[in-house]
C-alpha cells in the first residue's frame, strides 16, 4: 500500500485524531462522519462551493512572484495571496464550505469559536450571506483585546458570547461552543475554524482549505512549467492554512513541507505556543494530538504575540507530520516574526497578518538554494494587527 | 463480586452523589466521602478535576478549577484514598476525563484504582470503540467496571451495543445539556425515562444530569434504578462547607 499522510478510514493520522467526544455529541459527529464526503462531492455542492469561492471570496487568489524578497534571500519565492480573500484571510474557504454543509444537513443555527476573531468574522459573514442564526463564542479576554473584530461580527448580525470559564481565551471559547452543541444537538451545526476537533472535522476542514494547494498546482505550472514547488511554508496554530497549502503535496515527497510555530518569547521561556516542541500526546477538544499540558495532564495556556497561533494543541494531521518527520517544524519568536512582517511590507508592499509573519521569518533562519522554488502561504492580511505593529515598532 | 454489582442488587432506589476531589479544600476528599456514606448515600462518584471539562456546566467547572488551584492531581487523589477502604464500604467510582488518566498511564491508573479500592470509572470523553478495542482488557484485569453514558439522542441500536459491553450500570443522561441542576423534568424526559425503562436492558440505569432535589430524584427513579446528584451537591458545599452534608442528603432521601 502506498504510504499516505491523509486520514485513514477510522479517522486517524497515524496514532493521532479520532473522536474523543462525550456521548452527547455522538449523534451529531456521527451524522457528519457518515455524510460529509458524500455531500462534499455532490455535483450541486461542488458547483455552489466553487461559484461562491469565485464570485464572493474572489478566488483564485494570486500566486505572486516576490522579486525583491527572492533577491534578498537568493531563492525563488512565491506568495500565495490568501490575504486577498474576502474577510482578509484563508478562514473563509472553510466557512463557505461548512455553511453549505450545514444547509444540506438541515441545520438552522450556527455556532463557532474564535480567538482573534478572524474565524468568527468569517463565520458571521457566511451566516449573513445565507440568512442563518449565528452565535460566536469568544474568550472574555480576547473580546477585550480584539474590539474591531467583535464589532464586525455584531455588524454582520452575529451574537458574540463571552467564554467566562478557564483562561477565557480560544481554548475556553472552543469548550463553550462544544457545550452549546451538547445542549442543542438537533438544530445546530458547529463550524470549527481549524483542522482540530473530533474526526471528521480535521479532514473536512483540510479538504475545504485544499483549494489553496489545488490552485498552487496549476498556477505554478503556468509560471514554472511544473506543478510542485521544492518547499511549501505555512504557519501553524491549529493548522488550517498549512493543511490547505500542504494538502495536494502531502504524499508527494518531492515537496518539503515547512510548518512554522510561534515560539512566543522563546521556546523555553514559559511563554510560547510551540506545540511540536513543548507538547505531549494527549486529548484536546475531541482529538488525540500533541498538546501543551502539565505532567498531570492539565491543559496549559500558550502565549504568542499572534492571537491566531496561541492554541495549546495542533491539528492531528500536523502532529502526525511532525511525528513521522514528513514536515519540518520551525519555531519563530515574537521578535523574529515582527521583523519579518515589517520587511515584507517594505520589500513587497504587503502588510501581512502577524501569524503569516512567523512563516516569513523562516527566510532568516533557513537557507534555500538559488534555483529552488519556495511557496509561502500568505494566510492573512495585517489590518487586524495594526495596533500590535504600532505598539511594537512605536510607529 | 464488585461492590457496584452488589449494591445494584439491593431492593431500593440508589442515591449516588458526585463531588469534585480536593474541593472545597484539598484535604476535604476523604471527609466528604465518609460523611456521605454515614448519611445513607449508596454510591459516590469522585470527580478527578480537569482543566477543560467539556461535558460539565458552570458549577462543576468552577469546582474543578478551584480543586486544581488547591493543588489536586491524580497522584494526590490516590494518596488521599490510600486508607479509604478502612472506613468506607459503599461503591466508589472515579469520574474524570481521559487526558489526565493518559498522562498517568491508563494501566498505572487502573492498577492504582484497584489498590485503593475504586470499583469503577466514568470517563465521559472516552469513545466506546476505543474502550472496546484498547482498554477493556486492562479495566477487567484490575476489576474495574466502566460506566458508559447514553442520552435522549442515543439510537436504540447503540444503546443495545453499549448495554452489551457494560457490566455494571448505564449512566442515563437526563436531557441534552451539560451537567447542572434543574428544578423539575418535563414530559420529554418522562417519555425518555419510560422508553429506556421498557427496553429490558441487562444493565440497570442510573440517571444523571439535572437531578437536584427529592422531586427530580423521584421522577428520575420511577423506572431507573437510581440517580446521581452532582452540581446541586457542589453548590451546597460551596455555600455551607462540609459540615452540613447530613442536611443535604436528608432533603433527598
Amino acid at each position: 500500500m502506498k504510504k499516505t499522510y491523509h486520514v485513514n478510514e477510522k479517522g486517524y493520522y497515524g496514532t493521532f485524531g479520532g473522536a474523543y467526544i462525550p456521548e452527547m455529541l455522538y449523534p451529531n459527529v456521527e451524522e457528519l462522519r457518515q455524510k460529509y464526503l458524500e455531500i462534499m462531492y455532490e455535483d450541486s455542492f461542488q458547483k455552489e462551493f466553487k461559484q461562491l469561492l469565485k464570485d464572493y471570496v474572489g478566488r483564485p487568489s494570486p500566486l505572486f512572484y516576490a522579486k525583491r524578497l527572492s533577491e534578498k534571500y537568493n531563492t525563488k519565492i512565491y506568495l500565495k495571496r490568501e490575504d486577498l480573500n474576502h474577510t482578509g484571510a484563508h478562514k473563509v474557504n472553510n466557512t463557505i464550505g461548512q455553511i453549505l454543509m450545514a444547509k444540506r444537513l438541515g441545520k438552522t443555527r450556527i455556532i463557532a469559536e474564535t480567538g482573534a476573531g478572524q474565524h468568527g468574522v468569517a463565520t458571521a459573514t457566511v451566516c449573513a450571506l445565507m440568512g442563518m442564526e449565528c452565535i460566536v463564542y469568544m474568550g472574555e479576554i480576547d473580546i477585550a483585546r480584539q474590539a474591531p473584530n467583535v464589532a464586525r461580527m455584531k455588524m454582520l448580525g452575529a451574537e458574540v458570547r463571552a467564554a467566562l470559564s478557564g483562561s477565557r481565551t480560544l481554548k475556553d471559547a472552543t469548550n463553550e461552543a462544544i457545550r452549546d452543541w451538547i445542549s442543542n444537538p438537533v438544530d445546530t451545526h458547529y463550524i470549527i475554524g481549524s483542522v482540530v476537533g473530533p474526526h471528521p472535522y480535521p479532514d473536512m476542514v483540510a479538504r475545504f482549505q485544499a483549494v489553496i494547494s489545488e490552485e498552487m498546482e496549476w498556477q505554478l505550472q503556468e509560471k514554472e512549467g511544473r506543478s510542485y514547488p521544492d518547499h511549501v511554508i505555512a504557519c501553524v496554530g491549529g493548522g488550517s492554512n498549512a493543511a490547505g497549502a500542504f494538502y495536494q503535496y502531502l504524499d508527494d515527497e518531492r515537496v518539503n513541507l515547512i510548518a512554522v510555530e510561534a515560539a512566543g518569547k522563546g521556546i523555553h521561556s514559559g511563554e510560547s505556543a510551540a506545540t511540536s516542541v513543548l507538547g505531549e500526546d494527549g486529548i484536546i477538544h475531541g482529538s488525540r494530538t500533541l498538546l501543551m499540558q502539565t505532567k498531570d495532564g492539565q491543559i496549559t495556556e500558550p502565549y504568542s504575540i499572534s492571537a491566531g497561533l496561541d492554541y495549546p494543541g495542533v491539528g492531528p494531521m500536523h502532529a502526525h507530520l511532525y511525528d513521522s518527520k514528513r514536515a519540518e517544524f520551525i519555531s519563530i519568536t515574537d521578535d523574529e516574526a515582527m521583523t519579518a512582517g515589517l520587511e515584507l511590507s517594505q520589500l513587497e508592499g504587503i502588510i501581512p497578518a502577524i501569524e503569516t509573519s512567523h512563516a516569513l521569518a523562516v527566510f532568516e533562519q533557513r537557507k534555500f538554494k538559488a534555483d529552488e522554488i519556495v511557496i509561502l502561504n500568505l494566510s492573512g492580511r495585517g489590518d487586524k494587527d495594526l495596533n500590535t505593529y504600532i505598539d511594537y515598532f512605536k510607529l | 463480586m464488585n461492590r457496584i454489582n452488589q449494591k445494584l442488587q439491593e431492593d431500593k432506589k440508589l442515591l449516588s452523589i458526585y463531588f469534585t476531589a480536593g474541593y472545597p479544600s484539598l484535604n476535604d476528599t476523604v471527609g466528604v466521602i465518609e460523611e456521605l456514606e454515614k448519611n445513607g448515600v449508596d454510591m459516590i462518584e469522585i470527580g478527578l478535576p480537569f482543566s477543560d471539562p467539556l461535558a460539565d456546566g458552570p458549577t462543576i467547572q468552577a469546582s474543578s478549577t478551584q480543586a486544581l488551584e488547591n493543588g489536586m492531581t491524580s497522584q494526590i487523589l490516590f494518596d488521599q484514598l490510600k486508607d479509604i477502604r478502612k472506613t468506607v464500604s459503599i461503591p466508589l467510582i472515579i469520574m474524570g476525563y481521559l487526558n489526565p488518566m493518559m498522562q498517568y498511564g491508563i494501566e498505572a491508573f487502573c492498577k492504582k484504582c484497584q489498590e485503593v479500592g475504586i470499583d469503577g470509572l466514568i470517563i465521559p470523553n472516552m469513545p466506546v470503540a476505543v474502550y472496546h478495542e484498547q482498554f477493556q482488557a486492562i479495566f477487567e484485569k484490575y476489576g474495574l467496571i466502566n460506566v458508559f453514558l447514553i442520552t435522549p439522542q442515543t439510537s436504540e441500536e447503540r444503546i443495545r451495543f453499549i448495554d452489551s459491553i457494560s457490566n455494571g450500570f448505564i449512566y442515563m443522561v437526563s436531557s441534552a445539556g451539560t451537567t447542572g441542576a434543574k428544578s423539575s423534568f418535563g414530559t420529554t424526559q418522562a417519555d425518555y425515562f419510560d422508553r429506556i425503562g421498557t427496553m429490558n436492558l441487562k444493565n440497570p440505569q442510573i440517571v444523571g444530569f439535572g437531578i437536584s432535589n427529592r422531586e427530580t430524584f423521584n421522577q428520575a427513579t420511577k423506572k431507573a434504578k437510581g440517580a446521581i446528584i452532582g452540581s446541586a451537591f457542589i453548590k451546597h458545599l460551596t455555600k455551607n462547607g462540609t459540615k452540613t452534608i447530613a442536611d443535604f442528603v436528608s432533603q433527598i432521601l
Side-chain angles (χ1 to χ4, degrees), chain B residues 4-80:
Chain B
I4 296 172
N5 296 118
Q6 249 166 8
K7 177 58 81 175
L8 289 164
Q9 286 176 1
E10 289 180 16
D11 185 23
K12 62 182 287 208
K13 299 293 183 185
L14 305 180
L15 171 62
S16 184
I17 296 279
Y18 167 96
F19 80 105
T20 306
Y23 183 82
S25 299
L26 182 63
N27 293 316
D28 283 335
T29 313
V30 170
V32 171
I33 294 171
E34 289 175 346
E35 194 65 14
L36 286 170
E37 177 175 51
K38 207 168 80 188
N39 287 286
V41 167
D42 295 295
M43 191 156 64
I44 297 172
E45 281 152 35
I46 305 163
L48 177 67
F50 180 48
S51 54
D52 294 75
L54 285 180
D56 287 301
T59 305
I60 292 177
Q61 284 172 43
S63 68
S64 301
T65 305
Q66 184 61 50
L68 291 174
E69 277 170 19
N70 294 345
M72 183 48 78
T73 65
S74 302
Q75 190 55 53
I76 289 175
L77 177 59
F78 287 128
D79 292 346
Q80 289 177 343

Side-chain angles (χ1 to χ4, degrees), chain B:
Chain B
M1 187 194 263
N2 187 296
R3 290 181 200 89
I4 296 172
N5 296 118
Q6 249 166 8
K7 177 58 81 175
L8 289 164
Q9 286 176 1
E10 289 180 16
D11 185 23
K12 62 182 287 208
K13 299 293 183 185
L14 305 180
L15 171 62
S16 184
I17 296 279
Y18 167 96
F19 80 105
T20 306
Y23 183 82
S25 299
L26 182 63
N27 293 316
D28 283 335
T29 313
V30 170
V32 171
I33 294 171
E34 289 175 346
E35 194 65 14
L36 286 170
E37 177 175 51
K38 207 168 80 188
N39 287 286
V41 167
D42 295 295
M43 191 156 64
I44 297 172
E45 281 152 35
I46 305 163
L48 177 67
F50 180 48
S51 54
D52 294 75
L54 285 180
D56 287 301
T59 305
I60 292 177
Q61 284 172 43
S63 68
S64 301
T65 305
Q66 184 61 50
L68 291 174
E69 277 170 19
N70 294 345
M72 183 48 78
T73 65
S74 302
Q75 190 55 53
I76 289 175
L77 177 59
F78 287 128
D79 292 346
Q80 289 177 343
L81 297 178
K82 175 165 62 71
D83 295 322
I84 197 72
R85 285 305 175 193
K86 291 184 179 158
T87 53
V88 172
S89 60
I90 57 173
L92 298 176
I93 296 173
I94 289 182
M95 183 165 186
Y97 291 81
L98 194 49
N99 198 53
M101 299 177 191
M102 267 178 74
Q103 302 316 314
Y104 198 89
I106 296 293
E107 175 136 18
F109 194 93
C110 290
K111 187 164 183 274
K112 250 334 199 181
C113 283
Q114 186 186 44
E115 275 172 33
V116 302
I118 294 293
D119 305 294
L121 293 171
I122 303 175
I123 310 170
N125 67 333
M126 177 172 64
V128 174
V130 168
Y131 172 75
H132 196 46
E133 289 158 22
Q134 298 173 34
F135 299 152
Q136 189 165 0
I138 301 173
F139 277 51
E140 284 170 2
K141 179 174 168 190
Y142 296 103
L144 294 170
I145 282 178
N146 182 58
V147 178
F148 290 109
L149 277 58
I150 63 169
T151 81
Q153 276 73 41
T154 311
S155 69
E156 179 170 340
E157 184 193 357
R158 189 166 164 84
I159 292 173
R160 299 241 176 249
F161 174 65
I162 287 171
D163 189 41
S164 76
I165 60 167
S166 298
N167 56 355
F169 64 91
I170 291 175
Y171 190 130
M172 208 173 134
V173 175
S174 67
S175 48
T178 51
T179 55
K182 286 188 178 60
S183 55
S184 70
F185 288 123
T187 51
T188 323
Q189 274 79 41
D191 292 348
Y192 163 62
F193 296 156
D194 284 349
R195 176 164 66 87
I196 304 301
T198 55
M199 279 182 75
N200 290 315
L201 301 176
K202 83 174 161 86
N203 293 277
Q205 305 95 53
I206 297 191
V207 181
F209 288 38
I211 321 285
S212 62
N213 51 27
R214 188 171 290 153
E215 189 195 344
T216 42
F217 181 81
N218 289 339
Q219 282 177 306
T221 55
K222 208 177 275 175
K223 291 266 162 57
K225 179 67 185 168
I228 302 163
I229 298 181
S231 298
F233 180 63
I234 300 284
K235 278 185 186 156
H236 181 86
L237 286 179
T238 306
K239 200 169 152 207
N240 308 295
T242 56
K243 303 281 176 235
T244 57
I245 289 175
D247 296 347
F248 181 83
V249 178
S250 67
Q251 287 167 35
I252 316 290
L253 291 176

Side-chain angles (χ1 to χ4, degrees), chain A residues 232-336:
Chain A
V232 180
I233 307 176
C235 60
V236 173
S240 68
N241 94 78
F246 295 168
Y247 195 86
Q248 294 296 104
Y249 304 119
L250 279 175
D251 295 339
D252 183 347
E253 306 252 4
R254 294 173 300 186
V255 182
N256 181 43
L257 308 175
I258 302 177
V260 186
E261 293 181 313
K265 294 181 179 169
I267 288 179
H268 300 293
S269 64
E271 291 181 83
S272 177
T275 309
S276 68
V277 185
L278 300 170
E280 296 286 341
D281 186 5
I283 289 162
I284 183 170
H285 299 140
S287 178
R288 182 165 181 176
T289 188
L290 295 172
L291 60 128
M292 292 169 59
Q293 53 183 316
T294 65
K295 276 202 172 65
D296 195 48
Q298 308 300 336
I299 299 173
T300 55
E301 188 60 16
Y303 163 82
S304 164
I305 194 167
S306 147
L309 299 181
D310 63 354
Y311 182 67
V314 64
M317 173 202 280
H318 298 298
H320 182 53
L321 292 177
Y322 175 76
D323 206 45
S324 63
K325 299 190 166 61
R326 169 68 186 96
E328 188 180 335
F329 278 68
I330 295 178
S331 311
I332 294 296
T333 64
D334 289 355
D335 291 337
E336 291 161 348

